[in-house]
Amino acid sequence: MNRDRNELHQVGVTLRVILFTIEDDQLSVVVTKRTIEPFKGSYNLPGGFIHNNESLEQAASRIVQELTGDTHLYTEQLYTFGDPDRDTNGWWITVAYFALLPQDMHTHAPFRINPSCALLPVEKLPTLAFDHATMIEYAVNRLKAKVQYTNIAQGLLPEKFRLTSLQKTYEIILNKPLDKRNFRKKMSSLGLLQALNEKEISGRHRPATLYKFKTKEQVFFD
Amino acid sequence: MNRDRNELHQVGVTLRVILFTIEDDQLSVVVTKRTIEPFKGSYNLPGGFIHNNESLEQAASRIVQELTGDTHLYTEQLYTFGDPDRDTNGWWITVAYFALLPQDMHTHAPFRINPSCALLPVEKLPTLAFDHATMIEYAVNRLKAKVQYTNIAQGLLPEKFRLTSLQKTYEIILNKPLDKRNFRKKMSSLGLLQALNEKEISGRHRPATLYKFKTKEQVFFD
DNA sequence: ACAATAAGTGTATTGACAACACTAACACGA
DNA sequence: TCGTGTTAGTGTTGTCAATACACTTATTGT
C-alpha cells in the first residue's frame, strides 16, 4: 500500500444504478439503449463516472436525479463488480447502487421523456449488456430480503397510501400472495405506520384509510 | 458512460481486508503498522492493489493468503468506501473484504512472524488510520447478522469441534451468553452438523463428541 | 473411592405465524 | 330509494418455534 499513486494500475471505476419502481403491478427497472459497441443496441443499466470530489453516494444520487428529477430517493450501495473479463472494452470496476422510485412519481420523470430509456419489468428482461442482468438479480434479492425486516418498501410508495397498496407492494416484491388479516396485524404490531384522518375514495366501495410511515429513516425489525 | 477510457478521472482503487479470528476468547482482527505518512506509526488494515487481470475476489484471496499462508479461507465482499476526503493523500476508492481464520490456524500464520502485524481484539482497538475503524464496524455488524442465519461460524472453527466451542464462538460474536440446551436443540434442528465417532478428552471430565459441518458451502436458514 | 470438571439431556410456558370468512361503507344505476 | 357491485376492515384457533430452567453422566487426578 505504501506506494505512490503513479504505480497504480489503470483500472477504471464506473457506477451503475438499478432504479426500481412499480408499474402495472410489476417490479420494473430503468434501462437505457446503448448507441455504441460493445452491445450496441442492447439495453444496459444507467450509470456514469464518479466526478472529482464526489463521494460514491453523491455520484449515485446524482445519476438517480438525472433519471428522475428527484433528489432524496432511497439509494443504497449494492455490490462492487470487478471481474477483469466483465467488460471486453478495457478493465473496469463497477460500483452498483440500487434506488427506489415511488409509484406515483414515474409518470413525468425525465427518463420517461428520454426515448433511449425504457422501464422494463424484471421478470421479462431481454438480454442485457455486460453483467447487468447479474446486477439486477443481486438487487432484486437484496430488495426481497430487506422488505421483510426493514421499512424499505416506503421507497416505492407515495407519501400517503392505503394498506392494500402496501400489501400489494410486498406481494409484488416477494412474488407471492399474502394474507390480508395477518399482513395488517403484523404491520400494526410493528408500529411503524400512522393512520391519517383522510380517506381515499376510488370507486363504488368503502373508502380506505390513508396511512403514512412515521419515519423516513431506515428501521430494522425482527 | 460512452466515453473513452482516457476521459476517466484519476481515481485509484485499493483493497483492504478485515481478517477476523478468535484469540483468547475475543473476536480479533489483523492490523499492520504504518511506516509512512499519513498516520505513520498507527495501525491500519492490511491491503493492496488489484493486479492486472485479477478479479476483486482473487485480489482479496491473495492478500488473505499473504497474511495466513492459507488459501480457501472464507472471504466475502463487505462494502466499497469512496468518500473523497477519506484519504488526505489523493483520491482513493477502497473495496473492503472480510475473511475468517479458524481458531486453530493463527498460531503459525505468516502475520504472526511479521513484526509489523498485530492481532487485536475488536473491543479494544486503538485509533486506526483513515476510516478503517468504520470498516471494522461494518464487518462486525455483518458477521453478527450472518452468524444468526447462515453457517458462517464454521469459518472461525477448526474442521472438528465440540458443541461447546461452537456455542462459545456464537457467544463471542454476538457478545451475549446463550442457553446451552436451547443452543444445542436449535443446532440439531438445523441439521447442518454431523456427529463424528470421535471424542475429545481435555481434562478430568466427561469427553466431548466432536462434530463437523456437513457442507462447506454457505447455507442460509430461517 | 471421591472430588472436580465439563458433557449431555427434557419439559413447561410463551409468543409469533398461519389458516380461515364474514360485515361495513360507499357509488352507481335502475 | 333500494339493490348490487366492489373494496375496506376485522378475530379466533391451531401449530410451531423460542425461552427459561437443573440435574445426571463420564471422565481424570489424588
Tab-separated table of all heavy atoms in Angstrom, chain B residues 136-193:
chain	number	residue	atom	x	y	z
B	136	ILE	N	-14.143	-1.829	10.079
B	136	ILE	CA	-14.220	-2.942	11.025
B	136	ILE	C	-15.608	-2.999	11.646
B	136	ILE	O	-16.188	-4.075	11.813
B	136	ILE	CB	-13.118	-2.822	12.101
B	136	ILE	CG1	-11.750	-2.999	11.440
B	136	ILE	CG2	-13.316	-3.833	13.208
B	136	ILE	CD1	-10.562	-2.718	12.339
B	137	GLU	N	-16.162	-1.842	11.940
B	137	GLU	CA	-17.514	-1.798	12.495
B	137	GLU	C	-18.518	-2.427	11.516
B	137	GLU	O	-19.375	-3.223	11.912
B	137	GLU	CB	-17.881	-0.339	12.767
B	137	GLU	CG	-19.070	-0.159	13.682
B	137	GLU	CD	-19.491	1.310	13.733
B	137	GLU	OE1	-18.620	2.202	13.532
B	137	GLU	OE2	-20.691	1.558	13.951
B	138	TYR	N	-18.412	-2.058	10.248
B	138	TYR	CA	-19.266	-2.669	9.231
B	138	TYR	C	-19.107	-4.188	9.245
B	138	TYR	O	-20.091	-4.922	9.184
B	138	TYR	CB	-18.874	-2.163	7.824
B	138	TYR	CG	-19.573	-0.927	7.329
B	138	TYR	CD1	-19.546	0.259	8.044
B	138	TYR	CD2	-20.248	-0.941	6.104
B	138	TYR	CE1	-20.165	1.399	7.564
B	138	TYR	CE2	-20.881	0.213	5.620
B	138	TYR	CZ	-20.825	1.369	6.351
B	138	TYR	OH	-21.441	2.493	5.872
B	139	ALA	N	-17.852	-4.620	9.301
B	139	ALA	CA	-17.585	-6.059	9.219
B	139	ALA	C	-18.140	-6.797	10.431
B	139	ALA	O	-18.728	-7.876	10.298
B	139	ALA	CB	-16.077	-6.303	9.091
B	140	VAL	N	-17.981	-6.208	11.601
B	140	VAL	CA	-18.508	-6.842	12.813
B	140	VAL	C	-20.023	-6.955	12.724
B	140	VAL	O	-20.603	-7.996	13.049
B	140	VAL	CB	-18.082	-6.057	14.076
B	140	VAL	CG1	-18.831	-6.555	15.298
B	140	VAL	CG2	-16.582	-6.186	14.296
B	141	ASN	N	-20.658	-5.906	12.250
B	141	ASN	CA	-22.113	-5.953	12.118
B	141	ASN	C	-22.550	-7.021	11.120
B	141	ASN	O	-23.516	-7.739	11.360
B	141	ASN	CB	-22.650	-4.585	11.695
B	141	ASN	CG	-22.580	-3.586	12.827
B	141	ASN	OD1	-22.519	-3.973	13.998
B	141	ASN	ND2	-22.578	-2.302	12.501
B	142	ARG	N	-21.848	-7.112	10.004
B	142	ARG	CA	-22.190	-8.139	9.018
B	142	ARG	C	-22.049	-9.529	9.630
B	142	ARG	O	-22.902	-10.394	9.461
B	142	ARG	CB	-21.272	-7.991	7.794
B	142	ARG	CG	-21.419	-9.065	6.718
B	142	ARG	CD	-22.578	-8.803	5.781
B	142	ARG	NE	-22.445	-7.547	5.068
B	142	ARG	CZ	-21.889	-7.412	3.858
B	142	ARG	NH1	-21.457	-8.461	3.210
B	142	ARG	NH2	-21.820	-6.223	3.276
B	143	LEU	N	-20.945	-9.718	10.361
B	143	LEU	CA	-20.683	-11.021	10.972
B	143	LEU	C	-21.760	-11.358	12.009
B	143	LEU	O	-22.287	-12.472	12.042
B	143	LEU	CB	-19.294	-11.004	11.614
B	143	LEU	CG	-18.754	-12.311	12.175
B	143	LEU	CD1	-18.680	-13.393	11.103
B	143	LEU	CD2	-17.371	-12.089	12.795
B	144	LYS	N	-22.109	-10.394	12.829
B	144	LYS	CA	-23.165	-10.596	13.830
B	144	LYS	C	-24.476	-11.002	13.171
B	144	LYS	O	-25.191	-11.865	13.657
B	144	LYS	CB	-23.409	-9.291	14.616
B	144	LYS	CG	-22.548	-9.130	15.833
B	144	LYS	CD	-23.017	-7.921	16.655
B	144	LYS	CE	-22.039	-7.647	17.789
B	144	LYS	NZ	-22.368	-6.444	18.553
B	145	ALA	N	-24.802	-10.330	12.080
B	145	ALA	CA	-26.061	-10.634	11.399
B	145	ALA	C	-26.007	-12.029	10.786
B	145	ALA	O	-26.907	-12.842	10.985
B	145	ALA	CB	-26.342	-9.586	10.321
B	146	LYS	N	-24.924	-12.326	10.081
B	146	LYS	CA	-24.889	-13.567	9.315
B	146	LYS	C	-24.718	-14.809	10.169
B	146	LYS	O	-25.113	-15.898	9.766
B	146	LYS	CB	-23.794	-13.511	8.248
B	146	LYS	CG	-24.143	-12.553	7.114
B	146	LYS	CD	-23.281	-12.753	5.885
B	146	LYS	CE	-23.846	-13.803	4.961
B	146	LYS	NZ	-23.189	-13.777	3.626
B	147	VAL	N	-24.141	-14.649	11.351
B	147	VAL	CA	-23.975	-15.822	12.207
B	147	VAL	C	-25.337	-16.347	12.639
B	147	VAL	O	-25.485	-17.513	12.989
B	147	VAL	CB	-23.089	-15.482	13.428
B	147	VAL	CG1	-23.865	-14.803	14.526
B	147	VAL	CG2	-22.421	-16.740	13.959
B	148	GLN	N	-26.352	-15.481	12.558
B	148	GLN	CA	-27.680	-15.877	13.024
B	148	GLN	C	-28.538	-16.531	11.960
B	148	GLN	O	-29.555	-17.128	12.280
B	148	GLN	CB	-28.409	-14.657	13.598
B	148	GLN	CG	-27.648	-14.071	14.767
B	148	GLN	CD	-28.337	-12.880	15.378
B	148	GLN	OE1	-29.288	-13.022	16.106
B	148	GLN	NE2	-27.855	-11.691	15.044
B	149	TYR	N	-28.171	-16.387	10.706
B	149	TYR	CA	-28.998	-17.048	9.688
B	149	TYR	C	-28.186	-17.784	8.638
B	149	TYR	O	-28.734	-18.168	7.600
B	149	TYR	CB	-29.979	-16.054	9.040
B	149	TYR	CG	-29.343	-14.925	8.269
B	149	TYR	CD1	-29.045	-15.066	6.908
B	149	TYR	CD2	-29.061	-13.725	8.886
B	149	TYR	CE1	-28.468	-14.031	6.198
B	149	TYR	CE2	-28.478	-12.695	8.183
B	149	TYR	CZ	-28.188	-12.848	6.843
B	149	TYR	OH	-27.597	-11.832	6.137
B	150	THR	N	-26.887	-17.952	8.888
B	150	THR	CA	-26.065	-18.784	7.995
B	150	THR	C	-25.107	-19.629	8.837
B	150	THR	O	-24.987	-19.438	10.042
B	150	THR	CB	-25.201	-17.954	7.020
B	150	THR	OG1	-24.134	-17.355	7.750
B	150	THR	CG2	-26.004	-16.867	6.328
B	151	ASN	N	-24.410	-20.521	8.158
B	151	ASN	CA	-23.405	-21.358	8.816
B	151	ASN	C	-22.012	-20.717	8.780
B	151	ASN	O	-21.003	-21.405	8.808
B	151	ASN	CB	-23.367	-22.727	8.143
B	151	ASN	CG	-23.052	-22.624	6.652
B	151	ASN	OD1	-23.051	-21.526	6.092
B	151	ASN	ND2	-22.776	-23.742	6.018
B	152	ILE	N	-21.968	-19.392	8.719
B	152	ILE	CA	-20.692	-18.683	8.562
B	152	ILE	C	-19.722	-18.943	9.715
B	152	ILE	O	-18.502	-18.835	9.538
B	152	ILE	CB	-20.948	-17.160	8.415
B	152	ILE	CG1	-19.746	-16.463	7.770
B	152	ILE	CG2	-21.299	-16.517	9.744
B	152	ILE	CD1	-19.999	-15.001	7.456
B	153	ALA	N	-20.243	-19.332	10.874
B	153	ALA	CA	-19.383	-19.542	12.048
B	153	ALA	C	-18.297	-20.573	11.797
B	153	ALA	O	-17.233	-20.535	12.422
B	153	ALA	CB	-20.227	-19.963	13.254
B	154	GLN	N	-18.547	-21.481	10.874
B	154	GLN	CA	-17.546	-22.516	10.629
B	154	GLN	C	-16.240	-21.935	10.119
B	154	GLN	O	-15.187	-22.572	10.253
B	154	GLN	CB	-18.070	-23.586	9.674
B	154	GLN	CG	-18.170	-23.196	8.225
B	154	GLN	CD	-18.593	-24.398	7.370
B	154	GLN	OE1	-17.867	-25.354	7.195
B	154	GLN	NE2	-19.803	-24.329	6.859
B	155	GLY	N	-16.284	-20.739	9.566
B	155	GLY	CA	-15.052	-20.092	9.113
B	155	GLY	C	-14.087	-19.779	10.240
B	155	GLY	O	-12.902	-19.582	10.010
B	156	LEU	N	-14.595	-19.730	11.445
B	156	LEU	CA	-13.760	-19.403	12.608
B	156	LEU	C	-13.382	-20.641	13.415
B	156	LEU	O	-12.621	-20.540	14.380
B	156	LEU	CB	-14.488	-18.404	13.511
B	156	LEU	CG	-14.658	-16.998	12.933
B	156	LEU	CD1	-15.656	-16.193	13.732
B	156	LEU	CD2	-13.300	-16.279	12.917
B	157	LEU	N	-13.943	-21.788	13.031
B	157	LEU	CA	-13.728	-23.009	13.806
B	157	LEU	C	-12.833	-23.985	13.060
B	157	LEU	O	-12.789	-23.989	11.828
B	157	LEU	CB	-15.074	-23.693	14.074
B	157	LEU	CG	-15.952	-23.033	15.123
B	157	LEU	CD1	-17.379	-23.502	15.010
B	157	LEU	CD2	-15.396	-23.336	16.512
B	158	PRO	N	-12.146	-24.861	13.801
B	158	PRO	CA	-11.408	-25.943	13.132
B	158	PRO	C	-12.372	-26.924	12.480
B	158	PRO	O	-13.589	-26.871	12.709
B	158	PRO	CB	-10.629	-26.597	14.279
B	158	PRO	CG	-11.286	-26.142	15.528
B	158	PRO	CD	-11.951	-24.843	15.239
B	159	GLU	N	-11.842	-27.810	11.699
B	159	GLU	CA	-12.634	-28.822	10.988
B	159	GLU	C	-13.542	-29.582	11.954
B	159	GLU	O	-14.727	-29.714	11.737
B	159	GLU	CB	-11.677	-29.782	10.279
B	159	GLU	CG	-12.310	-30.680	9.234
B	159	GLU	CD	-12.624	-29.906	7.959
B	159	GLU	OE1	-12.003	-28.840	7.711
B	159	GLU	OE2	-13.497	-30.376	7.205
B	160	LYS	N	-12.941	-30.051	13.040
B	160	LYS	CA	-13.686	-30.810	14.056
B	160	LYS	C	-13.728	-29.981	15.330
B	160	LYS	O	-12.728	-29.416	15.735
B	160	LYS	CB	-12.980	-32.134	14.348
B	160	LYS	CG	-12.781	-33.024	13.137
B	160	LYS	CD	-11.882	-34.191	13.498
B	160	LYS	CE	-11.644	-35.087	12.274
B	160	LYS	NZ	-10.807	-36.254	12.617
B	161	PHE	N	-14.880	-29.973	15.953
B	161	PHE	CA	-15.033	-29.098	17.129
B	161	PHE	C	-16.088	-29.670	18.067
B	161	PHE	O	-16.925	-30.487	17.664
B	161	PHE	CB	-15.440	-27.695	16.680
B	161	PHE	CG	-16.611	-27.688	15.736
B	161	PHE	CD1	-17.915	-27.690	16.223
B	161	PHE	CD2	-16.426	-27.719	14.354
B	161	PHE	CE1	-18.995	-27.719	15.356
B	161	PHE	CE2	-17.515	-27.754	13.482
B	161	PHE	CZ	-18.788	-27.746	13.974
B	162	ARG	N	-16.028	-29.219	19.312
B	162	ARG	CA	-17.034	-29.599	20.310
B	162	ARG	C	-18.213	-28.631	20.211
B	162	ARG	O	-18.041	-27.461	19.815
B	162	ARG	CB	-16.435	-29.498	21.712
B	162	ARG	CG	-15.299	-30.462	21.966
B	162	ARG	CD	-14.593	-30.151	23.274
B	162	ARG	NE	-13.928	-28.859	23.202
B	162	ARG	CZ	-13.932	-27.952	24.165
B	162	ARG	NH1	-14.607	-28.165	25.301
B	162	ARG	NH2	-13.299	-26.806	24.018
B	163	LEU	N	-19.389	-29.070	20.569
B	163	LEU	CA	-20.551	-28.172	20.563
B	163	LEU	C	-20.324	-26.982	21.476
B	163	LEU	O	-20.789	-25.880	21.212
B	163	LEU	CB	-21.816	-28.930	20.993
B	163	LEU	CG	-22.396	-29.894	19.958
B	163	LEU	CD1	-23.674	-30.536	20.498
B	163	LEU	CD2	-22.687	-29.171	18.658
B	164	THR	N	-19.595	-27.204	22.548
B	164	THR	CA	-19.286	-26.101	23.462
B	164	THR	C	-18.473	-25.011	22.769
B	164	THR	O	-18.699	-23.819	22.990
B	164	THR	CB	-18.511	-26.641	24.676
B	164	THR	OG1	-19.193	-27.783	25.184
B	164	THR	CG2	-18.407	-25.602	25.762
B	165	SER	N	-17.539	-25.437	21.901
B	165	SER	CA	-16.731	-24.452	21.167
B	165	SER	C	-17.591	-23.673	20.184
B	165	SER	O	-17.432	-22.463	20.013
B	165	SER	CB	-15.618	-25.141	20.378
B	165	SER	OG	-14.885	-26.004	21.196
B	166	LEU	N	-18.507	-24.386	19.542
B	166	LEU	CA	-19.401	-23.721	18.602
B	166	LEU	C	-20.235	-22.676	19.331
B	166	LEU	O	-20.365	-21.534	18.887
B	166	LEU	CB	-20.305	-24.762	17.928
B	166	LEU	CG	-21.294	-24.230	16.892
B	166	LEU	CD1	-20.579	-23.588	15.717
B	166	LEU	CD2	-22.211	-25.349	16.398
B	167	GLN	N	-20.775	-23.081	20.475
B	167	GLN	CA	-21.577	-22.144	21.248
B	167	GLN	C	-20.753	-20.939	21.680
B	167	GLN	O	-21.185	-19.791	21.576
B	167	GLN	CB	-22.164	-22.840	22.474
B	167	GLN	CG	-23.044	-21.916	23.287
B	167	GLN	CD	-23.686	-22.602	24.478
B	167	GLN	OE1	-23.754	-23.824	24.536
B	167	GLN	NE2	-24.162	-21.811	25.413
B	168	LYS	N	-19.541	-21.207	22.127
B	168	LYS	CA	-18.638	-20.131	22.549
B	168	LYS	C	-18.401	-19.152	21.392
B	168	LYS	O	-18.409	-17.925	21.587
B	168	LYS	CB	-17.306	-20.737	22.992
B	168	LYS	CG	-16.411	-19.773	23.711
B	168	LYS	CD	-16.790	-19.721	25.175
B	168	LYS	CE	-16.132	-18.585	25.908
B	168	LYS	NZ	-16.079	-18.864	27.362
B	169	THR	N	-18.206	-19.675	20.202
B	169	THR	CA	-17.993	-18.833	19.019
B	169	THR	C	-19.183	-17.911	18.809
B	169	THR	O	-19.028	-16.707	18.576
B	169	THR	CB	-17.777	-19.727	17.786
B	169	THR	OG1	-16.657	-20.572	18.030
B	169	THR	CG2	-17.523	-18.895	16.544
B	170	TYR	N	-20.378	-18.480	18.900
B	170	TYR	CA	-21.582	-17.657	18.778
B	170	TYR	C	-21.627	-16.589	19.869
B	170	TYR	O	-21.962	-15.438	19.610
B	170	TYR	CB	-22.827	-18.545	18.857
B	170	TYR	CG	-23.258	-19.098	17.516
B	170	TYR	CD1	-22.553	-20.124	16.891
B	170	TYR	CD2	-24.376	-18.587	16.859
B	170	TYR	CE1	-22.945	-20.625	15.668
B	170	TYR	CE2	-24.777	-19.091	15.622
B	170	TYR	CZ	-24.065	-20.105	15.034
B	170	TYR	OH	-24.453	-20.587	13.814
B	171	GLU	N	-21.306	-16.990	21.088
B	171	GLU	CA	-21.380	-16.044	22.198
B	171	GLU	C	-20.400	-14.896	22.029
B	171	GLU	O	-20.709	-13.743	22.342
B	171	GLU	CB	-21.124	-16.777	23.523
B	171	GLU	CG	-22.285	-17.682	23.905
B	171	GLU	CD	-22.023	-18.509	25.146
B	171	GLU	OE1	-20.842	-18.821	25.425
B	171	GLU	OE2	-22.978	-18.855	25.846
B	172	ILE	N	-19.210	-15.219	21.510
B	172	ILE	CA	-18.197	-14.174	21.314
B	172	ILE	C	-18.648	-13.208	20.216
B	172	ILE	O	-18.552	-11.988	20.370
B	172	ILE	CB	-16.841	-14.826	20.962
B	172	ILE	CG1	-16.270	-15.537	22.187
B	172	ILE	CG2	-15.868	-13.786	20.430
B	172	ILE	CD1	-15.118	-16.470	21.875
B	173	ILE	N	-19.165	-13.747	19.122
B	173	ILE	CA	-19.588	-12.876	18.025
B	173	ILE	C	-20.781	-12.027	18.436
B	173	ILE	O	-20.826	-10.820	18.202
B	173	ILE	CB	-19.918	-13.705	16.769
B	173	ILE	CG1	-18.654	-14.381	16.237
B	173	ILE	CG2	-20.559	-12.830	15.690
B	173	ILE	CD1	-18.897	-15.378	15.137
B	174	LEU	N	-21.747	-12.659	19.079
B	174	LEU	CA	-22.969	-11.930	19.446
B	174	LEU	C	-22.784	-11.130	20.720
B	174	LEU	O	-23.622	-10.289	21.059
B	174	LEU	CB	-24.134	-12.908	19.604
B	174	LEU	CG	-24.530	-13.651	18.328
B	174	LEU	CD1	-25.580	-14.702	18.624
B	174	LEU	CD2	-25.045	-12.661	17.289
B	175	ASN	N	-21.723	-11.441	21.433
B	175	ASN	CA	-21.395	-10.706	22.648
B	175	ASN	C	-22.483	-10.837	23.715
B	175	ASN	O	-22.823	-9.878	24.397
B	175	ASN	CB	-21.149	-9.226	22.304
B	175	ASN	CG	-20.233	-8.573	23.318
B	175	ASN	OD1	-19.511	-9.255	24.047
B	175	ASN	ND2	-20.272	-7.255	23.374
B	176	LYS	N	-23.029	-12.047	23.814
B	176	LYS	CA	-24.002	-12.331	24.870
B	176	LYS	C	-24.050	-13.836	25.134
B	176	LYS	O	-23.803	-14.630	24.222
B	176	LYS	CB	-25.389	-11.814	24.468
B	176	LYS	CG	-26.032	-12.581	23.333
B	176	LYS	CD	-27.441	-12.088	23.037
B	176	LYS	CE	-28.064	-12.905	21.906
B	176	LYS	NZ	-29.276	-12.323	21.360
B	177	PRO	N	-24.368	-14.230	26.368
B	177	PRO	CA	-24.414	-15.654	26.687
B	177	PRO	C	-25.634	-16.334	26.080
B	177	PRO	O	-26.681	-15.706	25.901
B	177	PRO	CB	-24.496	-15.666	28.221
B	177	PRO	CG	-25.078	-14.346	28.578
B	177	PRO	CD	-24.636	-13.381	27.526
B	178	LEU	N	-25.493	-17.598	25.732
B	178	LEU	CA	-26.595	-18.370	25.158
B	178	LEU	C	-26.890	-19.566	26.059
B	178	LEU	O	-26.011	-20.063	26.763
B	178	LEU	CB	-26.214	-18.855	23.757
B	178	LEU	CG	-25.910	-17.770	22.727
B	178	LEU	CD1	-25.396	-18.384	21.432
B	178	LEU	CD2	-27.143	-16.918	22.455
B	179	ASP	N	-28.122	-20.012	26.031
B	179	ASP	CA	-28.524	-21.173	26.826
B	179	ASP	C	-28.050	-22.455	26.150
B	179	ASP	O	-28.306	-22.679	24.966
B	179	ASP	CB	-30.043	-21.186	26.976
B	179	ASP	CG	-30.511	-22.369	27.784
B	179	ASP	OD1	-30.521	-22.260	29.019
B	179	ASP	OD2	-30.838	-23.413	27.181
B	180	LYS	N	-27.382	-23.301	26.942
B	180	LYS	CA	-26.765	-24.495	26.386
B	180	LYS	C	-27.780	-25.433	25.731
B	180	LYS	O	-27.598	-25.870	24.589
B	180	LYS	CB	-26.063	-25.233	27.522
B	180	LYS	CG	-25.063	-26.274	27.078
B	180	LYS	CD	-24.801	-27.219	28.243
B	180	LYS	CE	-23.321	-27.498	28.417
B	180	LYS	NZ	-23.083	-28.428	29.533
B	181	ARG	N	-28.850	-25.755	26.445
B	181	ARG	CA	-29.806	-26.727	25.898
B	181	ARG	C	-30.531	-26.188	24.683
B	181	ARG	O	-30.700	-26.875	23.684
B	181	ARG	CB	-30.804	-27.149	26.980
B	181	ARG	CG	-30.213	-28.157	27.924
B	181	ARG	CD	-31.140	-28.425	29.074
B	181	ARG	NE	-31.207	-27.272	29.965
B	181	ARG	CZ	-31.837	-27.289	31.122
B	181	ARG	NH1	-32.469	-28.374	31.511
B	181	ARG	NH2	-31.841	-26.228	31.889
B	182	ASN	N	-30.929	-24.923	24.747
B	182	ASN	CA	-31.625	-24.336	23.595
B	182	ASN	C	-30.702	-24.236	22.384
B	182	ASN	O	-31.119	-24.492	21.259
B	182	ASN	CB	-32.157	-22.959	23.961
B	182	ASN	CG	-33.242	-23.042	25.009
B	182	ASN	OD1	-33.888	-24.091	25.175
B	182	ASN	ND2	-33.447	-21.957	25.737
B	183	PHE	N	-29.448	-23.891	22.642
B	183	PHE	CA	-28.492	-23.788	21.549
B	183	PHE	C	-28.323	-25.131	20.845
B	183	PHE	O	-28.387	-25.231	19.619
B	183	PHE	CB	-27.137	-23.305	22.078
B	183	PHE	CG	-26.086	-23.184	21.021
B	183	PHE	CD1	-26.046	-22.085	20.174
B	183	PHE	CD2	-25.131	-24.187	20.854
B	183	PHE	CE1	-25.076	-21.978	19.193
B	183	PHE	CE2	-24.159	-24.087	19.875
B	183	PHE	CZ	-24.127	-22.982	19.042
B	184	ARG	N	-28.163	-26.172	21.628
B	184	ARG	CA	-27.947	-27.500	21.052
B	184	ARG	C	-29.204	-27.998	20.335
B	184	ARG	O	-29.107	-28.630	19.274
B	184	ARG	CB	-27.521	-28.466	22.145
B	184	ARG	CG	-26.124	-28.141	22.676
B	184	ARG	CD	-25.884	-28.724	24.047
B	184	ARG	NE	-25.027	-29.903	24.035
B	184	ARG	CZ	-23.737	-29.899	24.366
B	184	ARG	NH1	-23.118	-28.771	24.685
B	184	ARG	NH2	-23.050	-31.023	24.364
B	185	LYS	N	-30.348	-27.698	20.909
B	185	LYS	CA	-31.615	-28.085	20.278
B	185	LYS	C	-31.739	-27.422	18.910
B	185	LYS	O	-32.054	-28.064	17.903
B	185	LYS	CB	-32.770	-27.649	21.177
B	185	LYS	CG	-34.056	-28.413	20.977
B	185	LYS	CD	-35.194	-27.791	21.770
B	185	LYS	CE	-34.782	-27.480	23.211
B	185	LYS	NZ	-35.774	-26.688	23.942
B	186	LYS	N	-31.457	-26.107	18.877
B	186	LYS	CA	-31.541	-25.355	17.626
B	186	LYS	C	-30.568	-25.902	16.581
B	186	LYS	O	-30.946	-26.169	15.435
B	186	LYS	CB	-31.232	-23.876	17.916
B	186	LYS	CG	-31.172	-22.980	16.697
B	186	LYS	CD	-32.537	-22.745	16.095
B	186	LYS	CE	-32.460	-21.808	14.896
B	186	LYS	NZ	-33.705	-21.859	14.108
B	187	MET	N	-29.330	-26.099	16.979
B	187	MET	CA	-28.322	-26.613	16.061
B	187	MET	C	-28.739	-27.966	15.494
B	187	MET	O	-28.611	-28.225	14.308
B	187	MET	CB	-26.964	-26.772	16.778
B	187	MET	CG	-26.201	-25.487	16.926
B	187	MET	SD	-25.825	-24.780	15.302
B	187	MET	CE	-25.901	-23.037	15.657
B	188	SER	N	-29.244	-28.791	16.388
B	188	SER	CA	-29.641	-30.121	15.947
B	188	SER	C	-30.819	-30.033	14.974
B	188	SER	O	-30.881	-30.761	13.991
B	188	SER	CB	-29.942	-30.974	17.170
B	188	SER	OG	-31.121	-31.710	16.984
B	189	SER	N	-31.731	-29.098	15.231
B	189	SER	CA	-32.897	-28.974	14.350
B	189	SER	C	-32.505	-28.449	12.969
B	189	SER	O	-33.188	-28.699	11.981
B	189	SER	CB	-33.945	-28.070	14.976
B	189	SER	OG	-33.646	-26.719	14.715
B	190	LEU	N	-31.423	-27.688	12.892
B	190	LEU	CA	-30.989	-27.172	11.587
B	190	LEU	C	-30.415	-28.279	10.710
B	190	LEU	O	-30.436	-28.177	9.481
B	190	LEU	CB	-29.940	-26.068	11.776
B	190	LEU	CG	-30.450	-24.762	12.358
B	190	LEU	CD1	-29.296	-23.812	12.642
B	190	LEU	CD2	-31.452	-24.109	11.420
B	191	GLY	N	-29.889	-29.313	11.352
B	191	GLY	CA	-29.386	-30.444	10.594
B	191	GLY	C	-28.138	-30.163	9.789
B	191	GLY	O	-27.866	-30.830	8.800
B	192	LEU	N	-27.371	-29.172	10.210
B	192	LEU	CA	-26.160	-28.822	9.454
B	192	LEU	C	-24.928	-29.551	9.982
B	192	LEU	O	-23.890	-29.580	9.327
B	192	LEU	CB	-25.909	-27.311	9.530
B	192	LEU	CG	-27.007	-26.410	8.997
B	192	LEU	CD1	-26.670	-24.952	9.266
B	192	LEU	CD2	-27.180	-26.647	7.508
B	193	LEU	N	-25.068	-30.117	11.174
B	193	LEU	CA	-23.898	-30.716	11.820
B	193	LEU	C	-23.931	-32.236	11.723
B	193	LEU	O	-24.996	-32.844	11.671
B	193	LEU	CB	-23.860	-30.318	13.299
B	193	LEU	CG	-23.757	-28.833	13.609
B	193	LEU	CD1	-23.728	-28.610	15.110
B	193	LEU	CD2	-22.530	-28.240	12.951
